[in-house]
Amino acid sequence: MSGRLAGKVAIVTGSGSGIGKSIAIRLANEGASIVVDYRNHIEQAQDTKSKVEAAGSKAILVPADVSVLSDTQNLVDQAYKQLGRCDILVNNAGIEIEAPFWEVTEKDYDAVLNVNLKGAFFLAQAFVRRLRDAKLPGRIINISSVHEDMVFPNFSTYCASKGGMRMLMRDLAVELGPLGITVNNIAPGAIATPINAKMMDNKAQLDALLKNIPLGRMGTPEEVAGLALFLASDDGAYCTGSTFIIDGGLIRNYHEQ
Ligand code: BGC
């Protein structure tokens, strides 16, 4: 298999749908074998696997709840066991729960923080330990959000998780640079994926959002995948410690009304 990622293996969490699915397929198009991670919907993950295979690459399906440490460890173990190595980690799995701050429950807080931040943290740790032991380089790409920086009223848990992801990335870039491991965040704005399905079905809400986006439209998962490919490939070799915003200009132009 030729391509910019020939011979590489990538774990993409949450790759059954949305941005994760597009990233899995895009990396596979460039020759990477993919660990397709999913939590609940095996049929979606199987569809990603078929598309990876149609691109001429290998895929394995590994179920994981990334908020469970043993599941994150297993994702890395399966990459080595079934595909022989693991070069690229894309921490994409993420959830959001809308609630005014005063109504946030402990359960919702734990759900969002554990998937979005704890999951990315410990999966990166499992990924890095193997590379460190083998003295091999690697790439960590976190799918963060414009909300690692920009307010998102009624999504305080989501903002806390993505703000945490921003500082985690910066810290790891410094700690892992000497090991040859790069760490970057991609901060998407409003992308047409299942996480935004409810909003996209509400015309008034969608129109209000589109007014805030200078390019006047939502982004596509494929556009985000193109940026992930850049960061995973040789072209992105000198990038570390940065957030790459992909939002049609939203972050520069946010209004509530
Ligand atoms: C959120 C979306 C939101 C977008 C722009 C994303 O991180 O997941 O729900 O529409 O940011 O505000």
Side-chain angles (χ1 to χ4, degrees), residues 137-161:
R139 302 283 167 93
I140 298 175
I141 302 163
N142 298 317
I143 307 305
S144 165
S145 165
V146 286
H147 301 298
E148 70 163 51
D149 189 49
M150 185 172 84
V151 297
F152 196 13
N154 299 316
F155 289 88
S156 52
T157 50
Y158 189 72
C159 286
S161 71

PDB file of all heavy atoms in Angstrom, residues 137-161:
ATOM      1  N   PRO A 137       9.056   7.276  17.498  1.00  0.00           N
ATOM      2  CA  PRO A 137       8.303   8.534  17.461  1.00  0.00           C
ATOM      3  C   PRO A 137       6.802   8.282  17.309  1.00  0.00           C
ATOM      4  O   PRO A 137       6.392   7.153  17.047  1.00  0.00           O
ATOM      5  CB  PRO A 137       8.844   9.228  16.210  1.00  0.00           C
ATOM      6  CG  PRO A 137       9.230   8.103  15.318  1.00  0.00           C
ATOM      7  CD  PRO A 137       9.699   6.978  16.203  1.00  0.00           C
ATOM      8  N   GLY A 138       6.018   9.322  17.469  1.00  0.00           N
ATOM      9  CA  GLY A 138       4.573   9.158  17.302  1.00  0.00           C
ATOM     10  C   GLY A 138       3.872  10.492  17.154  1.00  0.00           C
ATOM     11  O   GLY A 138       4.479  11.561  17.281  1.00  0.00           O
ATOM     12  N   ARG A 139       2.588  10.407  16.868  1.00  0.00           N
ATOM     13  CA  ARG A 139       1.754  11.609  16.710  1.00  0.00           C
ATOM     14  C   ARG A 139       0.493  11.460  17.555  1.00  0.00           C
ATOM     15  O   ARG A 139      -0.188  10.430  17.454  1.00  0.00           O
ATOM     16  CB  ARG A 139       1.311  11.781  15.246  1.00  0.00           C
ATOM     17  CG  ARG A 139       2.438  11.873  14.229  1.00  0.00           C
ATOM     18  CD  ARG A 139       3.085  13.248  14.232  1.00  0.00           C
ATOM     19  NE  ARG A 139       4.328  13.218  13.479  1.00  0.00           N
ATOM     20  CZ  ARG A 139       4.428  13.510  12.196  1.00  0.00           C
ATOM     21  NH1 ARG A 139       3.365  13.870  11.519  1.00  0.00           N
ATOM     22  NH2 ARG A 139       5.605  13.465  11.591  1.00  0.00           N
ATOM     23  N   ILE A 140       0.210  12.482  18.336  1.00  0.00           N
ATOM     24  CA  ILE A 140      -1.062  12.516  19.055  1.00  0.00           C
ATOM     25  C   ILE A 140      -1.852  13.713  18.521  1.00  0.00           C
ATOM     26  O   ILE A 140      -1.344  14.843  18.492  1.00  0.00           O
ATOM     27  CB  ILE A 140      -0.867  12.664  20.575  1.00  0.00           C
ATOM     28  CG1 ILE A 140      -0.098  11.454  21.134  1.00  0.00           C
ATOM     29  CG2 ILE A 140      -2.232  12.812  21.285  1.00  0.00           C
ATOM     30  CD1 ILE A 140       0.262  11.572  22.620  1.00  0.00           C
ATOM     31  N   ILE A 141      -3.066  13.445  18.078  1.00  0.00           N
ATOM     32  CA  ILE A 141      -3.945  14.501  17.565  1.00  0.00           C
ATOM     33  C   ILE A 141      -5.239  14.433  18.369  1.00  0.00           C
ATOM     34  O   ILE A 141      -5.937  13.406  18.357  1.00  0.00           O
ATOM     35  CB  ILE A 141      -4.244  14.274  16.061  1.00  0.00           C
ATOM     36  CG1 ILE A 141      -2.942  14.233  15.256  1.00  0.00           C
ATOM     37  CG2 ILE A 141      -5.194  15.356  15.542  1.00  0.00           C
ATOM     38  CD1 ILE A 141      -3.083  13.628  13.867  1.00  0.00           C
ATOM     39  N   ASN A 142      -5.516  15.494  19.114  1.00  0.00           N
ATOM     40  CA  ASN A 142      -6.758  15.548  19.887  1.00  0.00           C
ATOM     41  C   ASN A 142      -7.794  16.353  19.119  1.00  0.00           C
ATOM     42  O   ASN A 142      -7.499  17.459  18.659  1.00  0.00           O
ATOM     43  CB  ASN A 142      -6.535  16.252  21.225  1.00  0.00           C
ATOM     44  CG  ASN A 142      -5.530  15.524  22.099  1.00  0.00           C
ATOM     45  OD1 ASN A 142      -5.562  14.298  22.210  1.00  0.00           O
ATOM     46  ND2 ASN A 142      -4.632  16.279  22.719  1.00  0.00           N
ATOM     47  N   ILE A 143      -8.987  15.800  18.998  1.00  0.00           N
ATOM     48  CA  ILE A 143     -10.071  16.588  18.411  1.00  0.00           C
ATOM     49  C   ILE A 143     -10.727  17.330  19.572  1.00  0.00           C
ATOM     50  O   ILE A 143     -11.486  16.767  20.354  1.00  0.00           O
ATOM     51  CB  ILE A 143     -11.079  15.722  17.641  1.00  0.00           C
ATOM     52  CG1 ILE A 143     -10.348  14.845  16.609  1.00  0.00           C
ATOM     53  CG2 ILE A 143     -12.107  16.626  16.956  1.00  0.00           C
ATOM     54  CD1 ILE A 143      -9.452  15.574  15.617  1.00  0.00           C
ATOM     55  N   SER A 144     -10.354  18.587  19.672  1.00  0.00           N
ATOM     56  CA  SER A 144     -10.830  19.442  20.741  1.00  0.00           C
ATOM     57  C   SER A 144     -12.076  20.169  20.231  1.00  0.00           C
ATOM     58  O   SER A 144     -13.005  19.540  19.728  1.00  0.00           O
ATOM     59  CB  SER A 144      -9.670  20.376  21.115  1.00  0.00           C
ATOM     60  OG  SER A 144     -10.104  21.428  21.867  1.00  0.00           O
ATOM     61  N   SER A 145     -12.072  21.469  20.282  1.00  0.00           N
ATOM     62  CA  SER A 145     -13.225  22.263  19.817  1.00  0.00           C
ATOM     63  C   SER A 145     -12.837  23.725  19.882  1.00  0.00           C
ATOM     64  O   SER A 145     -11.942  24.096  20.663  1.00  0.00           O
ATOM     65  CB  SER A 145     -14.418  22.020  20.744  1.00  0.00           C
ATOM     66  OG  SER A 145     -15.420  23.012  20.535  1.00  0.00           O
ATOM     67  N   VAL A 146     -13.535  24.552  19.117  1.00  0.00           N
ATOM     68  CA  VAL A 146     -13.365  25.995  19.338  1.00  0.00           C
ATOM     69  C   VAL A 146     -13.636  26.323  20.798  1.00  0.00           C
ATOM     70  O   VAL A 146     -13.144  27.319  21.326  1.00  0.00           O
ATOM     71  CB  VAL A 146     -14.293  26.843  18.436  1.00  0.00           C
ATOM     72  CG1 VAL A 146     -13.805  26.849  17.001  1.00  0.00           C
ATOM     73  CG2 VAL A 146     -15.748  26.393  18.512  1.00  0.00           C
ATOM     74  N   HIS A 147     -14.422  25.461  21.456  1.00  0.00           N
ATOM     75  CA  HIS A 147     -14.768  25.705  22.865  1.00  0.00           C
ATOM     76  C   HIS A 147     -13.666  25.286  23.832  1.00  0.00           C
ATOM     77  O   HIS A 147     -13.890  25.228  25.026  1.00  0.00           O
ATOM     78  CB  HIS A 147     -16.113  25.051  23.190  1.00  0.00           C
ATOM     79  CG  HIS A 147     -17.202  25.590  22.328  1.00  0.00           C
ATOM     80  ND1 HIS A 147     -17.570  26.918  22.357  1.00  0.00           N
ATOM     81  CD2 HIS A 147     -17.946  25.009  21.350  1.00  0.00           C
ATOM     82  CE1 HIS A 147     -18.515  27.118  21.444  1.00  0.00           C
ATOM     83  NE2 HIS A 147     -18.754  25.989  20.829  1.00  0.00           N
ATOM     84  N   GLU A 148     -12.477  25.020  23.331  1.00  0.00           N
ATOM     85  CA  GLU A 148     -11.328  24.944  24.239  1.00  0.00           C
ATOM     86  C   GLU A 148     -10.905  26.373  24.584  1.00  0.00           C
ATOM     87  O   GLU A 148     -10.102  26.607  25.471  1.00  0.00           O
ATOM     88  CB  GLU A 148     -10.162  24.147  23.630  1.00  0.00           C
ATOM     89  CG  GLU A 148      -9.442  24.825  22.477  1.00  0.00           C
ATOM     90  CD  GLU A 148      -8.073  24.228  22.174  1.00  0.00           C
ATOM     91  OE1 GLU A 148      -7.963  23.008  22.018  1.00  0.00           O
ATOM     92  OE2 GLU A 148      -7.090  25.016  22.097  1.00  0.00           O
ATOM     93  N   ASP A 149     -11.451  27.324  23.832  1.00  0.00           N
ATOM     94  CA  ASP A 149     -11.063  28.719  23.995  1.00  0.00           C
ATOM     95  C   ASP A 149     -12.276  29.648  24.112  1.00  0.00           C
ATOM     96  O   ASP A 149     -12.239  30.640  24.818  1.00  0.00           O
ATOM     97  CB  ASP A 149     -10.220  29.121  22.782  1.00  0.00           C
ATOM     98  CG  ASP A 149      -9.589  30.478  22.953  1.00  0.00           C
ATOM     99  OD1 ASP A 149      -8.991  30.713  24.001  1.00  0.00           O
ATOM    100  OD2 ASP A 149      -9.709  31.308  22.032  1.00  0.00           O
ATOM    101  N   MET A 150     -13.335  29.306  23.397  1.00  0.00           N
ATOM    102  CA  MET A 150     -14.490  30.201  23.265  1.00  0.00           C
ATOM    103  C   MET A 150     -15.620  29.731  24.181  1.00  0.00           C
ATOM    104  O   MET A 150     -15.843  28.524  24.316  1.00  0.00           O
ATOM    105  CB  MET A 150     -14.960  30.140  21.806  1.00  0.00           C
ATOM    106  CG  MET A 150     -16.075  31.078  21.448  1.00  0.00           C
ATOM    107  SD  MET A 150     -16.362  31.048  19.646  1.00  0.00           S
ATOM    108  CE  MET A 150     -17.424  29.632  19.490  1.00  0.00           C
ATOM    109  N   VAL A 151     -16.330  30.675  24.774  1.00  0.00           N
ATOM    110  CA  VAL A 151     -17.434  30.291  25.669  1.00  0.00           C
ATOM    111  C   VAL A 151     -18.543  29.572  24.897  1.00  0.00           C
ATOM    112  O   VAL A 151     -18.706  29.755  23.689  1.00  0.00           O
ATOM    113  CB  VAL A 151     -18.036  31.512  26.394  1.00  0.00           C
ATOM    114  CG1 VAL A 151     -17.011  32.164  27.284  1.00  0.00           C
ATOM    115  CG2 VAL A 151     -18.620  32.520  25.404  1.00  0.00           C
ATOM    116  N   PHE A 152     -19.300  28.766  25.632  1.00  0.00           N
ATOM    117  CA  PHE A 152     -20.430  28.028  25.058  1.00  0.00           C
ATOM    118  C   PHE A 152     -21.459  27.912  26.179  1.00  0.00           C
ATOM    119  O   PHE A 152     -21.490  26.924  26.913  1.00  0.00           O
ATOM    120  CB  PHE A 152     -19.939  26.646  24.614  1.00  0.00           C
ATOM    121  CG  PHE A 152     -20.828  25.879  23.668  1.00  0.00           C
ATOM    122  CD1 PHE A 152     -21.896  26.471  23.005  1.00  0.00           C
ATOM    123  CD2 PHE A 152     -20.561  24.532  23.411  1.00  0.00           C
ATOM    124  CE1 PHE A 152     -22.674  25.735  22.114  1.00  0.00           C
ATOM    125  CE2 PHE A 152     -21.330  23.796  22.531  1.00  0.00           C
ATOM    126  CZ  PHE A 152     -22.392  24.390  21.879  1.00  0.00           C
ATOM    127  N   PRO A 153     -22.272  28.971  26.356  1.00  0.00           N
ATOM    128  CA  PRO A 153     -23.208  28.977  27.475  1.00  0.00           C
ATOM    129  C   PRO A 153     -24.081  27.723  27.476  1.00  0.00           C
ATOM    130  O   PRO A 153     -24.509  27.253  26.417  1.00  0.00           O
ATOM    131  CB  PRO A 153     -24.051  30.232  27.222  1.00  0.00           C
ATOM    132  CG  PRO A 153     -23.174  31.112  26.396  1.00  0.00           C
ATOM    133  CD  PRO A 153     -22.380  30.186  25.525  1.00  0.00           C
ATOM    134  N   ASN A 154     -24.330  27.203  28.645  1.00  0.00           N
ATOM    135  CA  ASN A 154     -25.114  25.964  28.843  1.00  0.00           C
ATOM    136  C   ASN A 154     -24.349  24.680  28.516  1.00  0.00           C
ATOM    137  O   ASN A 154     -24.932  23.602  28.455  1.00  0.00           O
ATOM    138  CB  ASN A 154     -26.439  25.982  28.080  1.00  0.00           C
ATOM    139  CG  ASN A 154     -27.320  27.119  28.547  1.00  0.00           C
ATOM    140  OD1 ASN A 154     -27.443  27.354  29.756  1.00  0.00           O
ATOM    141  ND2 ASN A 154     -27.889  27.861  27.616  1.00  0.00           N
ATOM    142  N   PHE A 155     -23.062  24.825  28.279  1.00  0.00           N
ATOM    143  CA  PHE A 155     -22.224  23.651  28.041  1.00  0.00           C
ATOM    144  C   PHE A 155     -20.964  23.748  28.908  1.00  0.00           C
ATOM    145  O   PHE A 155     -19.844  23.581  28.422  1.00  0.00           O
ATOM    146  CB  PHE A 155     -21.848  23.547  26.556  1.00  0.00           C
ATOM    147  CG  PHE A 155     -23.003  23.174  25.656  1.00  0.00           C
ATOM    148  CD1 PHE A 155     -23.834  24.150  25.119  1.00  0.00           C
ATOM    149  CD2 PHE A 155     -23.269  21.845  25.355  1.00  0.00           C
ATOM    150  CE1 PHE A 155     -24.904  23.812  24.295  1.00  0.00           C
ATOM    151  CE2 PHE A 155     -24.333  21.502  24.535  1.00  0.00           C
ATOM    152  CZ  PHE A 155     -25.152  22.485  24.000  1.00  0.00           C
ATOM    153  N   SER A 156     -21.159  24.052  30.180  1.00  0.00           N
ATOM    154  CA  SER A 156     -19.986  24.275  31.041  1.00  0.00           C
ATOM    155  C   SER A 156     -19.125  23.020  31.176  1.00  0.00           C
ATOM    156  O   SER A 156     -17.894  23.110  31.238  1.00  0.00           O
ATOM    157  CB  SER A 156     -20.422  24.770  32.422  1.00  0.00           C
ATOM    158  OG  SER A 156     -21.399  23.911  32.966  1.00  0.00           O
ATOM    159  N   THR A 157     -19.750  21.854  31.202  1.00  0.00           N
ATOM    160  CA  THR A 157     -18.944  20.627  31.326  1.00  0.00           C
ATOM    161  C   THR A 157     -18.094  20.426  30.062  1.00  0.00           C
ATOM    162  O   THR A 157     -16.916  20.083  30.141  1.00  0.00           O
ATOM    163  CB  THR A 157     -19.845  19.391  31.544  1.00  0.00           C
ATOM    164  OG1 THR A 157     -20.879  19.389  30.555  1.00  0.00           O
ATOM    165  CG2 THR A 157     -20.459  19.395  32.931  1.00  0.00           C
ATOM    166  N   TYR A 158     -18.715  20.665  28.926  1.00  0.00           N
ATOM    167  CA  TYR A 158     -18.005  20.521  27.649  1.00  0.00           C
ATOM    168  C   TYR A 158     -16.824  21.502  27.586  1.00  0.00           C
ATOM    169  O   TYR A 158     -15.702  21.121  27.227  1.00  0.00           O
ATOM    170  CB  TYR A 158     -18.989  20.778  26.514  1.00  0.00           C
ATOM    171  CG  TYR A 158     -18.500  20.478  25.117  1.00  0.00           C
ATOM    172  CD1 TYR A 158     -18.329  19.167  24.688  1.00  0.00           C
ATOM    173  CD2 TYR A 158     -18.234  21.505  24.205  1.00  0.00           C
ATOM    174  CE1 TYR A 158     -17.909  18.888  23.392  1.00  0.00           C
ATOM    175  CE2 TYR A 158     -17.821  21.231  22.901  1.00  0.00           C
ATOM    176  CZ  TYR A 158     -17.661  19.918  22.510  1.00  0.00           C
ATOM    177  OH  TYR A 158     -17.251  19.648  21.226  1.00  0.00           O
ATOM    178  N   CYS A 159     -17.083  22.760  27.970  1.00  0.00           N
ATOM    179  CA  CYS A 159     -16.009  23.764  27.955  1.00  0.00           C
ATOM    180  C   CYS A 159     -14.878  23.374  28.917  1.00  0.00           C
ATOM    181  O   CYS A 159     -13.703  23.529  28.592  1.00  0.00           O
ATOM    182  CB  CYS A 159     -16.553  25.133  28.344  1.00  0.00           C
ATOM    183  SG  CYS A 159     -17.527  25.877  27.022  1.00  0.00           S
ATOM    184  N   ALA A 160     -15.256  22.873  30.101  1.00  0.00           N
ATOM    185  CA  ALA A 160     -14.226  22.465  31.064  1.00  0.00           C
ATOM    186  C   ALA A 160     -13.381  21.334  30.484  1.00  0.00           C
ATOM    187  O   ALA A 160     -12.146  21.326  30.613  1.00  0.00           O
ATOM    188  CB  ALA A 160     -14.876  22.032  32.377  1.00  0.00           C
ATOM    189  N   SER A 161     -14.037  20.403  29.799  1.00  0.00           N
ATOM    190  CA  SER A 161     -13.283  19.265  29.245  1.00  0.00           C
ATOM    191  C   SER A 161     -12.362  19.717  28.116  1.00  0.00           C
ATOM    192  O   SER A 161     -11.198  19.291  28.028  1.00  0.00           O
ATOM    193  CB  SER A 161     -14.237  18.174  28.750  1.00  0.00           C
ATOM    194  OG  SER A 161     -14.921  18.569  27.571  1.00  0.00           O
TER     195      SER A 161
END
